[in-house]
Amino acid sequence: MEAARGIGTFVVWDYLVFAAMLLISAVIGIYYAFAGGGQQTSKDFLMGGRSMTAVPVALSLTASFMSAITVLGTPSEIYRFGAIFSIFALTYFFVVVISAEVFLPVFYKLGITSTYEYLELRFNKFIRLCGTILFIVQTILYTGIVIYAPALALNQVTGFDLWGAVVATGVVCTFYCTMGGLKAVIWTDVFQVGIMVAGFASVIIRASVVQGGMSTILSDANNGGRLNFWNFDPNPLQRHTFWTIIIGGTFTWTSIYGVNQSQVQRYISCKSRFHAKMSLYVNLVGLWAILICSVFCGLALYSRYHDCDPWTAKKVSAPDQLMPYMVLDILQDYPGLPGLFVACAYSGTLSTVSSSINALAAVTVEDLIKPSFRSLSERSLSWISQGTSVLYGLLCIGMAALASLMGALLQVGIGAQLYPPLPVRTLPLSLETFGCNTTYNVTNSLATTEMPFSTSAFQIYNVERTPLMDNWYSLSYLYFSTVGTLVTVLVGIIVSLLTAPMLDPLLPYSNTPHSWRLP
């Protein structure tokens, strides 16, 4: 590699490309504010009038999945831990099938707007309210990370203004969500998918040329142990194995695709159940394409820096900065292309944030406002939906300021942040610096290799490790949803057995409360 050559910097063309992406996204919002008579009812605003077709919804689902967290986090994951991450291809298949065949038919047949309406139909209003409030809190927190994390990573490497990017992203998102509702969200996602694919493609193509072809990249990856596709260790404390990815990953992503308001709201906005199912299956192809691009970018990262790791050599301060570092390295002779990659990352941010804002507005109107103010007209509810979109947009921008206290881009958990799993659990692969024009020695390299995965500001160092830290807190982050789901089901069964009245075993379930309203 060209170790002595410095990386490039952002130029005017790069800023223009990024600005054009934001401008076009805003224009789409303006168009759908007036197209077809505008947003006359809350159903028009929140559900696109339930008139959407499969392909744009599929692309929207894909765009929201591929946030900037994916663009920046997944390649660095491959770079540090290897291509075992690609097993998620199987996980995505199971998730889509379960969502399309189990969850979608229930939500679509009920004709609901908020997924938490189901909780009232199945249980009671209190459970519905609890679900809604938890969703609102969790989504605002997550959206803050989605806005802040890529802005920080790109700022550190490209010099891109941190808070300028945060505010611009939040304002543009809020603008087109408020103006055009769900239709604007979906069609800006379609546009942004194109930007994302173009950004990934430019990096992959140029990296292949610079490194001497894909065969060289694969050869370097193989020599560095990065083609580690299979690990069948059943230990749930190992961060990524075949079982943690398949079992834990399926639980994790089914909670997103199956019941999360942001995803469900879009596929039940389709004009028929067939289109809704097709949107999920077409989306599966998009998920696979994203995964392939992310894996190739990660392998290209390793091929480019296999003998001079920028993180170990202190050229970047965090793994999430590796992708933008390589972009400025290999694309510096092509003004505008680094800007395209930044637009690619921020397109992921825009799609995720806009979906979150629209979903937050939906649950607020349907679960909090309509049940309390039943006399409101549809026009009034439409205005309220737009107002709540503005409110949540501002809240998400505010939460971005707190996101700097969170950890690495791919995992969040309090215990695991305070006491990160040891390398024996995360299994980081070796990173070398012998090819750098620096004086760093092997000790530096090993120290960096053995750093825990988490980079939270909350980490507590020099603490004697306890069994709790080395076992429960070292549980693979992919099993968090699995444990949560199983505990919920178990507690629910126990409580039901203790509190439910004794029913006549011959009494048909259809006579029990609420069940007549369920499919």
Short mmCIF file of all heavy atoms in Angstrom, two decimals, residues 250-307:
data_model
loop_
_atom_site.label_atom_id
_atom_site.label_comp_id
_atom_site.label_asym_id
_atom_site.label_seq_id
_atom_site.Cartn_x
_atom_site.Cartn_y
_atom_site.Cartn_z
N THR A 250 -32.25 -13.54 15.02
CA THR A 250 -33.65 -13.68 14.60
C THR A 250 -34.58 -13.02 15.61
O THR A 250 -35.52 -12.31 15.24
CB THR A 250 -34.01 -15.17 14.44
OG1 THR A 250 -33.19 -15.74 13.40
CG2 THR A 250 -35.48 -15.33 14.06
N PHE A 251 -34.34 -13.24 16.89
CA PHE A 251 -35.15 -12.57 17.91
C PHE A 251 -35.00 -11.06 17.82
O PHE A 251 -35.99 -10.31 17.90
CB PHE A 251 -34.75 -13.04 19.31
CG PHE A 251 -35.48 -14.27 19.78
CD1 PHE A 251 -34.95 -15.53 19.55
CD2 PHE A 251 -36.68 -14.17 20.45
CE1 PHE A 251 -35.61 -16.67 19.98
CE2 PHE A 251 -37.36 -15.30 20.88
CZ PHE A 251 -36.82 -16.56 20.65
N THR A 252 -33.76 -10.60 17.65
CA THR A 252 -33.49 -9.16 17.62
C THR A 252 -34.21 -8.49 16.46
O THR A 252 -34.90 -7.48 16.63
CB THR A 252 -31.98 -8.89 17.53
OG1 THR A 252 -31.34 -9.43 18.69
CG2 THR A 252 -31.69 -7.40 17.44
N TRP A 253 -34.05 -9.05 15.25
CA TRP A 253 -34.61 -8.38 14.08
C TRP A 253 -36.09 -8.66 13.88
O TRP A 253 -36.78 -7.85 13.26
CB TRP A 253 -33.80 -8.76 12.84
CG TRP A 253 -32.49 -8.04 12.83
CD1 TRP A 253 -31.26 -8.55 13.09
CD2 TRP A 253 -32.30 -6.63 12.64
NE1 TRP A 253 -30.31 -7.56 13.05
CE2 TRP A 253 -30.92 -6.37 12.78
CE3 TRP A 253 -33.16 -5.57 12.36
CZ2 TRP A 253 -30.39 -5.09 12.64
CZ3 TRP A 253 -32.63 -4.30 12.24
CH2 TRP A 253 -31.26 -4.08 12.37
N THR A 254 -36.59 -9.75 14.44
CA THR A 254 -38.04 -9.96 14.39
C THR A 254 -38.75 -8.92 15.24
O THR A 254 -39.86 -8.47 14.91
CB THR A 254 -38.41 -11.38 14.86
OG1 THR A 254 -37.80 -12.34 13.99
CG2 THR A 254 -39.93 -11.59 14.82
N SER A 255 -38.11 -8.51 16.33
CA SER A 255 -38.70 -7.46 17.15
C SER A 255 -38.78 -6.14 16.38
O SER A 255 -39.63 -5.29 16.69
CB SER A 255 -37.88 -7.27 18.44
OG SER A 255 -36.62 -6.67 18.16
N ILE A 256 -37.92 -5.98 15.38
CA ILE A 256 -37.95 -4.77 14.55
C ILE A 256 -38.95 -4.93 13.41
O ILE A 256 -39.85 -4.09 13.24
CB ILE A 256 -36.55 -4.47 13.96
CG1 ILE A 256 -35.52 -4.30 15.08
CG2 ILE A 256 -36.60 -3.24 13.07
CD1 ILE A 256 -35.80 -3.15 16.01
N TYR A 257 -38.83 -5.97 12.64
CA TYR A 257 -39.69 -6.15 11.47
C TYR A 257 -41.10 -6.63 11.83
O TYR A 257 -42.06 -6.34 11.14
CB TYR A 257 -39.05 -7.14 10.48
CG TYR A 257 -38.15 -6.46 9.49
CD1 TYR A 257 -36.84 -6.17 9.81
CD2 TYR A 257 -38.62 -6.09 8.24
CE1 TYR A 257 -36.00 -5.53 8.91
CE2 TYR A 257 -37.80 -5.46 7.32
CZ TYR A 257 -36.48 -5.17 7.66
OH TYR A 257 -35.68 -4.54 6.76
N GLY A 258 -41.20 -7.39 12.91
CA GLY A 258 -42.48 -7.99 13.24
C GLY A 258 -43.43 -7.08 13.98
O GLY A 258 -44.64 -7.06 13.71
N VAL A 259 -42.91 -6.29 14.95
CA VAL A 259 -43.80 -5.52 15.80
C VAL A 259 -43.41 -4.05 15.95
O VAL A 259 -44.20 -3.27 16.50
CB VAL A 259 -43.89 -6.15 17.22
CG1 VAL A 259 -44.47 -7.54 17.14
CG2 VAL A 259 -42.53 -6.17 17.91
N ASN A 260 -42.23 -3.64 15.51
CA ASN A 260 -41.83 -2.25 15.68
C ASN A 260 -42.67 -1.33 14.80
O ASN A 260 -42.83 -1.57 13.60
CB ASN A 260 -40.35 -2.09 15.35
CG ASN A 260 -39.85 -0.69 15.65
OD1 ASN A 260 -40.03 0.23 14.86
ND2 ASN A 260 -39.22 -0.53 16.79
N GLN A 261 -43.19 -0.26 15.41
CA GLN A 261 -44.10 0.64 14.70
C GLN A 261 -43.48 1.20 13.42
O GLN A 261 -44.15 1.32 12.40
CB GLN A 261 -44.50 1.78 15.62
CG GLN A 261 -45.37 2.86 14.99
CD GLN A 261 -46.77 2.36 14.68
OE1 GLN A 261 -47.25 1.43 15.31
NE2 GLN A 261 -47.42 2.98 13.72
N SER A 262 -42.19 1.55 13.46
CA SER A 262 -41.54 2.18 12.31
C SER A 262 -41.60 1.30 11.07
O SER A 262 -41.80 1.79 9.95
CB SER A 262 -40.07 2.49 12.65
OG SER A 262 -39.98 3.38 13.72
N GLN A 263 -41.42 -0.01 11.23
CA GLN A 263 -41.46 -0.93 10.10
C GLN A 263 -42.89 -1.35 9.75
O GLN A 263 -43.31 -1.30 8.59
CB GLN A 263 -40.62 -2.17 10.39
CG GLN A 263 -39.14 -1.90 10.66
CD GLN A 263 -38.38 -1.42 9.44
OE1 GLN A 263 -38.45 -0.24 9.09
NE2 GLN A 263 -37.67 -2.30 8.80
N VAL A 264 -43.64 -1.73 10.77
CA VAL A 264 -45.00 -2.23 10.54
C VAL A 264 -45.87 -1.17 9.88
O VAL A 264 -46.65 -1.47 8.97
CB VAL A 264 -45.64 -2.70 11.86
CG1 VAL A 264 -47.11 -3.09 11.65
CG2 VAL A 264 -44.87 -3.88 12.44
N GLN A 265 -45.71 0.07 10.31
CA GLN A 265 -46.54 1.16 9.78
C GLN A 265 -46.42 1.27 8.27
O GLN A 265 -47.39 1.62 7.59
CB GLN A 265 -46.13 2.47 10.44
CG GLN A 265 -46.97 3.68 10.05
CD GLN A 265 -46.56 4.90 10.84
OE1 GLN A 265 -45.92 4.79 11.87
NE2 GLN A 265 -46.92 6.07 10.35
N ARG A 266 -45.24 0.95 7.73
CA ARG A 266 -45.06 1.08 6.29
C ARG A 266 -45.67 -0.08 5.52
O ARG A 266 -46.36 0.12 4.53
CB ARG A 266 -43.57 1.25 5.97
CG ARG A 266 -43.17 2.71 6.07
CD ARG A 266 -41.70 2.90 5.96
NE ARG A 266 -41.02 2.37 7.14
CZ ARG A 266 -39.70 2.32 7.24
NH1 ARG A 266 -38.95 2.71 6.26
NH2 ARG A 266 -39.15 1.86 8.34
N TYR A 267 -45.44 -1.31 5.99
CA TYR A 267 -45.99 -2.38 5.15
C TYR A 267 -47.50 -2.55 5.30
O TYR A 267 -48.15 -3.09 4.40
CB TYR A 267 -45.23 -3.70 5.30
CG TYR A 267 -45.14 -4.36 6.65
CD1 TYR A 267 -46.24 -4.90 7.28
CD2 TYR A 267 -43.89 -4.53 7.27
CE1 TYR A 267 -46.14 -5.56 8.49
CE2 TYR A 267 -43.76 -5.19 8.48
CZ TYR A 267 -44.89 -5.70 9.09
OH TYR A 267 -44.79 -6.36 10.29
N ILE A 268 -48.09 -2.04 6.39
CA ILE A 268 -49.56 -2.09 6.45
C ILE A 268 -50.18 -0.86 5.78
O ILE A 268 -51.40 -0.73 5.73
CB ILE A 268 -50.09 -2.22 7.89
CG1 ILE A 268 -49.72 -1.01 8.74
CG2 ILE A 268 -49.61 -3.51 8.53
CD1 ILE A 268 -50.31 -1.05 10.14
N SER A 269 -49.33 0.03 5.24
CA SER A 269 -49.85 1.15 4.44
C SER A 269 -50.09 0.73 2.99
O SER A 269 -50.59 1.52 2.20
CB SER A 269 -48.88 2.33 4.48
OG SER A 269 -47.70 2.05 3.73
N CYS A 270 -49.72 -0.51 2.66
CA CYS A 270 -49.91 -1.01 1.29
C CYS A 270 -51.40 -1.19 0.98
O CYS A 270 -52.22 -1.42 1.88
CB CYS A 270 -49.18 -2.34 1.10
SG CYS A 270 -47.39 -2.19 1.10
N LYS A 271 -51.74 -1.12 -0.30
CA LYS A 271 -53.16 -1.14 -0.69
C LYS A 271 -53.79 -2.52 -0.61
O LYS A 271 -55.01 -2.65 -0.70
CB LYS A 271 -53.30 -0.58 -2.10
CG LYS A 271 -52.58 -1.36 -3.18
CD LYS A 271 -52.75 -0.66 -4.53
CE LYS A 271 -52.07 -1.41 -5.66
NZ LYS A 271 -52.22 -0.71 -6.96
N SER A 272 -52.98 -3.57 -0.47
CA SER A 272 -53.52 -4.92 -0.31
C SER A 272 -52.55 -5.76 0.51
O SER A 272 -51.37 -5.40 0.65
CB SER A 272 -53.76 -5.59 -1.66
OG SER A 272 -52.52 -5.88 -2.30
N ARG A 273 -53.05 -6.85 1.06
CA ARG A 273 -52.18 -7.73 1.84
C ARG A 273 -51.11 -8.36 0.95
O ARG A 273 -49.98 -8.58 1.41
CB ARG A 273 -53.02 -8.84 2.49
CG ARG A 273 -52.28 -9.53 3.61
CD ARG A 273 -53.23 -10.24 4.53
NE ARG A 273 -53.18 -11.69 4.32
CZ ARG A 273 -53.85 -12.56 5.05
NH1 ARG A 273 -54.66 -12.15 5.99
NH2 ARG A 273 -53.74 -13.85 4.82
N PHE A 274 -51.44 -8.61 -0.32
CA PHE A 274 -50.44 -9.16 -1.24
C PHE A 274 -49.27 -8.19 -1.40
O PHE A 274 -48.10 -8.59 -1.33
CB PHE A 274 -51.09 -9.42 -2.60
CG PHE A 274 -50.10 -9.81 -3.66
CD1 PHE A 274 -49.57 -11.09 -3.71
CD2 PHE A 274 -49.68 -8.88 -4.61
CE1 PHE A 274 -48.64 -11.45 -4.69
CE2 PHE A 274 -48.76 -9.22 -5.59
CZ PHE A 274 -48.24 -10.51 -5.63
N HIS A 275 -49.57 -6.90 -1.60
CA HIS A 275 -48.51 -5.90 -1.74
C HIS A 275 -47.70 -5.79 -0.45
O HIS A 275 -46.47 -5.60 -0.49
CB HIS A 275 -49.10 -4.54 -2.11
CG HIS A 275 -49.37 -4.38 -3.58
ND1 HIS A 275 -48.44 -3.91 -4.45
CD2 HIS A 275 -50.48 -4.65 -4.31
CE1 HIS A 275 -48.94 -3.87 -5.68
NE2 HIS A 275 -50.19 -4.32 -5.62
N ALA A 276 -48.38 -5.91 0.69
CA ALA A 276 -47.68 -5.83 1.97
C ALA A 276 -46.67 -6.97 2.11
O ALA A 276 -45.52 -6.76 2.51
CB ALA A 276 -48.69 -5.85 3.11
N LYS A 277 -47.12 -8.20 1.77
CA LYS A 277 -46.20 -9.35 1.86
C LYS A 277 -45.07 -9.22 0.85
O LYS A 277 -43.90 -9.49 1.18
CB LYS A 277 -46.98 -10.66 1.60
CG LYS A 277 -47.69 -11.20 2.81
CD LYS A 277 -48.10 -12.65 2.59
CE LYS A 277 -48.72 -13.22 3.85
NZ LYS A 277 -49.03 -14.66 3.72
N MET A 278 -45.41 -8.81 -0.36
CA MET A 278 -44.37 -8.66 -1.37
C MET A 278 -43.33 -7.62 -0.96
O MET A 278 -42.14 -7.76 -1.26
CB MET A 278 -45.00 -8.27 -2.72
CG MET A 278 -45.68 -9.43 -3.43
SD MET A 278 -44.55 -10.82 -3.73
CE MET A 278 -43.33 -10.04 -4.79
N SER A 279 -43.77 -6.57 -0.27
CA SER A 279 -42.81 -5.54 0.16
C SER A 279 -41.76 -6.14 1.09
O SER A 279 -40.58 -5.77 1.02
CB SER A 279 -43.55 -4.39 0.86
OG SER A 279 -44.03 -4.77 2.13
N LEU A 280 -42.18 -7.07 1.94
CA LEU A 280 -41.22 -7.71 2.85
C LEU A 280 -40.27 -8.63 2.10
O LEU A 280 -39.06 -8.63 2.37
CB LEU A 280 -41.98 -8.49 3.92
CG LEU A 280 -42.53 -7.65 5.08
CD1 LEU A 280 -43.48 -8.48 5.94
CD2 LEU A 280 -41.41 -7.09 5.94
N TYR A 281 -40.79 -9.39 1.16
CA TYR A 281 -39.92 -10.33 0.44
C TYR A 281 -38.97 -9.61 -0.53
O TYR A 281 -37.81 -10.03 -0.69
CB TYR A 281 -40.76 -11.38 -0.30
CG TYR A 281 -41.35 -12.41 0.64
CD1 TYR A 281 -42.72 -12.49 0.85
CD2 TYR A 281 -40.52 -13.28 1.33
CE1 TYR A 281 -43.26 -13.44 1.73
CE2 TYR A 281 -41.05 -14.23 2.21
CZ TYR A 281 -42.42 -14.31 2.40
OH TYR A 281 -42.93 -15.23 3.28
N VAL A 282 -39.44 -8.55 -1.17
CA VAL A 282 -38.55 -7.76 -2.03
C VAL A 282 -37.48 -7.07 -1.16
O VAL A 282 -36.31 -6.98 -1.53
CB VAL A 282 -39.34 -6.71 -2.84
CG1 VAL A 282 -38.39 -5.78 -3.59
CG2 VAL A 282 -40.29 -7.40 -3.82
N ASN A 283 -37.90 -6.63 0.02
CA ASN A 283 -36.97 -6.03 0.95
C ASN A 283 -35.85 -7.00 1.34
O ASN A 283 -34.72 -6.59 1.57
CB ASN A 283 -37.76 -5.59 2.20
CG ASN A 283 -36.90 -5.44 3.43
OD1 ASN A 283 -36.13 -4.51 3.56
ND2 ASN A 283 -37.03 -6.38 4.35
N LEU A 284 -36.17 -8.30 1.39
CA LEU A 284 -35.15 -9.30 1.73
C LEU A 284 -33.99 -9.24 0.75
O LEU A 284 -32.82 -9.34 1.14
CB LEU A 284 -35.77 -10.69 1.74
CG LEU A 284 -34.82 -11.87 2.00
CD1 LEU A 284 -34.13 -11.73 3.35
CD2 LEU A 284 -35.57 -13.20 1.91
N VAL A 285 -34.31 -9.07 -0.53
CA VAL A 285 -33.25 -8.96 -1.54
C VAL A 285 -32.38 -7.73 -1.26
O VAL A 285 -31.15 -7.77 -1.36
CB VAL A 285 -33.86 -8.87 -2.96
CG1 VAL A 285 -32.76 -8.69 -4.01
CG2 VAL A 285 -34.69 -10.10 -3.27
N GLY A 286 -33.04 -6.64 -0.85
CA GLY A 286 -32.30 -5.44 -0.49
C GLY A 286 -31.39 -5.65 0.71
O GLY A 286 -30.25 -5.16 0.74
N LEU A 287 -31.88 -6.38 1.70
CA LEU A 287 -31.07 -6.67 2.89
C LEU A 287 -29.82 -7.46 2.52
O LEU A 287 -28.73 -7.19 3.03
CB LEU A 287 -31.89 -7.44 3.93
CG LEU A 287 -33.09 -6.74 4.53
CD1 LEU A 287 -33.74 -7.63 5.59
CD2 LEU A 287 -32.70 -5.40 5.14
N TRP A 288 -30.00 -8.44 1.66
CA TRP A 288 -28.85 -9.24 1.21
C TRP A 288 -27.84 -8.38 0.45
O TRP A 288 -26.63 -8.51 0.62
CB TRP A 288 -29.32 -10.40 0.35
CG TRP A 288 -29.94 -11.53 1.13
CD1 TRP A 288 -29.75 -11.81 2.45
CD2 TRP A 288 -30.83 -12.53 0.63
NE1 TRP A 288 -30.48 -12.91 2.82
CE2 TRP A 288 -31.15 -13.38 1.73
CE3 TRP A 288 -31.41 -12.78 -0.61
CZ2 TRP A 288 -32.00 -14.48 1.60
CZ3 TRP A 288 -32.27 -13.87 -0.74
CH2 TRP A 288 -32.56 -14.71 0.36
N ALA A 289 -28.34 -7.49 -0.40
CA ALA A 289 -27.46 -6.61 -1.18
C ALA A 289 -26.65 -5.71 -0.25
O ALA A 289 -25.44 -5.51 -0.43
CB ALA A 289 -28.27 -5.77 -2.17
N ILE A 290 -27.32 -5.16 0.77
CA ILE A 290 -26.64 -4.30 1.74
C ILE A 290 -25.55 -5.08 2.46
O ILE A 290 -24.43 -4.59 2.66
CB ILE A 290 -27.65 -3.76 2.77
CG1 ILE A 290 -28.58 -2.76 2.11
CG2 ILE A 290 -26.93 -3.11 3.95
CD1 ILE A 290 -29.76 -2.42 2.97
N LEU A 291 -25.91 -6.29 2.89
CA LEU A 291 -24.95 -7.11 3.62
C LEU A 291 -23.72 -7.42 2.78
O LEU A 291 -22.59 -7.32 3.25
CB LEU A 291 -25.62 -8.41 4.08
CG LEU A 291 -24.77 -9.34 4.94
CD1 LEU A 291 -24.39 -8.67 6.25
CD2 LEU A 291 -25.52 -10.64 5.22
N ILE A 292 -23.94 -7.78 1.52
CA ILE A 292 -22.82 -8.08 0.62
C ILE A 292 -21.92 -6.86 0.46
O ILE A 292 -20.68 -6.95 0.54
CB ILE A 292 -23.35 -8.55 -0.75
CG1 ILE A 292 -24.01 -9.93 -0.62
CG2 ILE A 292 -22.22 -8.61 -1.78
CD1 ILE A 292 -24.75 -10.38 -1.86
N CYS A 293 -22.53 -5.68 0.25
CA CYS A 293 -21.75 -4.44 0.10
C CYS A 293 -20.94 -4.15 1.37
O CYS A 293 -19.76 -3.79 1.30
CB CYS A 293 -22.67 -3.27 -0.20
SG CYS A 293 -23.38 -3.27 -1.86
N SER A 294 -21.58 -4.33 2.52
CA SER A 294 -20.90 -4.05 3.79
C SER A 294 -19.73 -5.00 4.01
O SER A 294 -18.65 -4.58 4.45
CB SER A 294 -21.89 -4.18 4.95
OG SER A 294 -22.96 -3.27 4.82
N VAL A 295 -19.93 -6.28 3.70
CA VAL A 295 -18.87 -7.27 3.88
C VAL A 295 -17.70 -6.97 2.94
O VAL A 295 -16.53 -6.99 3.35
CB VAL A 295 -19.40 -8.70 3.64
CG1 VAL A 295 -18.25 -9.69 3.61
CG2 VAL A 295 -20.38 -9.08 4.75
N PHE A 296 -17.98 -6.67 1.67
CA PHE A 296 -16.91 -6.37 0.73
C PHE A 296 -16.15 -5.11 1.15
O PHE A 296 -14.91 -5.05 1.03
CB PHE A 296 -17.46 -6.19 -0.69
CG PHE A 296 -17.59 -7.48 -1.44
CD1 PHE A 296 -18.76 -7.80 -2.11
CD2 PHE A 296 -16.54 -8.39 -1.48
CE1 PHE A 296 -18.89 -9.01 -2.81
CE2 PHE A 296 -16.65 -9.59 -2.17
CZ PHE A 296 -17.83 -9.89 -2.84
N CYS A 297 -16.86 -4.11 1.66
CA CYS A 297 -16.18 -2.90 2.13
C CYS A 297 -15.27 -3.23 3.31
O CYS A 297 -14.15 -2.70 3.41
CB CYS A 297 -17.20 -1.84 2.52
SG CYS A 297 -17.94 -0.97 1.13
N GLY A 298 -15.75 -4.09 4.20
CA GLY A 298 -14.93 -4.49 5.34
C GLY A 298 -13.68 -5.25 4.92
O GLY A 298 -12.58 -5.02 5.46
N LEU A 299 -13.83 -6.16 3.96
CA LEU A 299 -12.68 -6.90 3.46
C LEU A 299 -11.71 -5.99 2.72
O LEU A 299 -10.48 -6.15 2.81
CB LEU A 299 -13.15 -8.04 2.54
CG LEU A 299 -14.03 -9.11 3.21
CD1 LEU A 299 -14.44 -10.16 2.17
CD2 LEU A 299 -13.31 -9.76 4.38
N ALA A 300 -12.27 -5.00 1.99
CA ALA A 300 -11.41 -4.03 1.30
C ALA A 300 -10.63 -3.19 2.31
O ALA A 300 -9.45 -2.87 2.10
CB ALA A 300 -12.25 -3.13 0.40
N LEU A 301 -11.29 -2.85 3.43
CA LEU A 301 -10.61 -2.14 4.50
C LEU A 301 -9.39 -2.92 4.98
O LEU A 301 -8.29 -2.36 5.12
CB LEU A 301 -11.57 -1.94 5.68
CG LEU A 301 -12.31 -0.61 5.84
CD1 LEU A 301 -13.29 -0.69 7.00
CD2 LEU A 301 -11.33 0.53 6.05
N TYR A 302 -9.59 -4.20 5.21
CA TYR A 302 -8.48 -5.01 5.72
C TYR A 302 -7.38 -5.15 4.67
O TYR A 302 -6.19 -5.05 5.00
CB TYR A 302 -8.95 -6.40 6.14
CG TYR A 302 -7.81 -7.21 6.70
CD1 TYR A 302 -7.30 -6.94 7.97
CD2 TYR A 302 -7.18 -8.21 5.93
CE1 TYR A 302 -6.22 -7.65 8.47
CE2 TYR A 302 -6.10 -8.91 6.43
CZ TYR A 302 -5.62 -8.63 7.70
OH TYR A 302 -4.54 -9.30 8.19
N SER A 303 -7.75 -5.36 3.43
CA SER A 303 -6.74 -5.48 2.37
C SER A 303 -5.90 -4.21 2.27
O SER A 303 -4.68 -4.26 2.11
CB SER A 303 -7.42 -5.78 1.03
OG SER A 303 -6.47 -5.87 -0.01
N ARG A 304 -6.57 -3.08 2.39
CA ARG A 304 -5.87 -1.79 2.26
C ARG A 304 -4.93 -1.53 3.43
O ARG A 304 -3.83 -0.98 3.27
CB ARG A 304 -6.92 -0.68 2.17
CG ARG A 304 -6.36 0.73 2.00
CD ARG A 304 -5.72 0.92 0.65
NE ARG A 304 -5.31 2.30 0.41
CZ ARG A 304 -4.50 2.66 -0.58
NH1 ARG A 304 -4.01 1.75 -1.40
NH2 ARG A 304 -4.19 3.93 -0.76
N TYR A 305 -5.34 -1.94 4.63
CA TYR A 305 -4.58 -1.58 5.83
C TYR A 305 -4.12 -2.78 6.64
O TYR A 305 -3.90 -2.68 7.85
CB TYR A 305 -5.44 -0.65 6.73
CG TYR A 305 -5.92 0.57 6.01
CD1 TYR A 305 -7.28 0.79 5.79
CD2 TYR A 305 -5.02 1.52 5.53
CE1 TYR A 305 -7.73 1.91 5.12
CE2 TYR A 305 -5.46 2.65 4.85
CZ TYR A 305 -6.82 2.84 4.65
OH TYR A 305 -7.25 3.96 3.97
N HIS A 306 -3.92 -3.92 5.99
CA HIS A 306 -3.57 -5.13 6.73
C HIS A 306 -2.19 -5.04 7.39
O HIS A 306 -1.92 -5.75 8.36
CB HIS A 306 -3.63 -6.36 5.81
CG HIS A 306 -2.59 -6.38 4.74
ND1 HIS A 306 -2.75 -5.70 3.56
CD2 HIS A 306 -1.37 -6.98 4.67
CE1 HIS A 306 -1.68 -5.89 2.79
NE2 HIS A 306 -0.83 -6.66 3.45
N ASP A 307 -1.32 -4.16 6.85
CA ASP A 307 0.00 -4.02 7.47
C ASP A 307 0.20 -2.66 8.13
O ASP A 307 1.28 -2.35 8.62
CB ASP A 307 1.11 -4.27 6.44
CG ASP A 307 1.06 -3.28 5.30
OD1 ASP A 307 0.09 -2.49 5.23
OD2 ASP A 307 1.99 -3.28 4.47
#
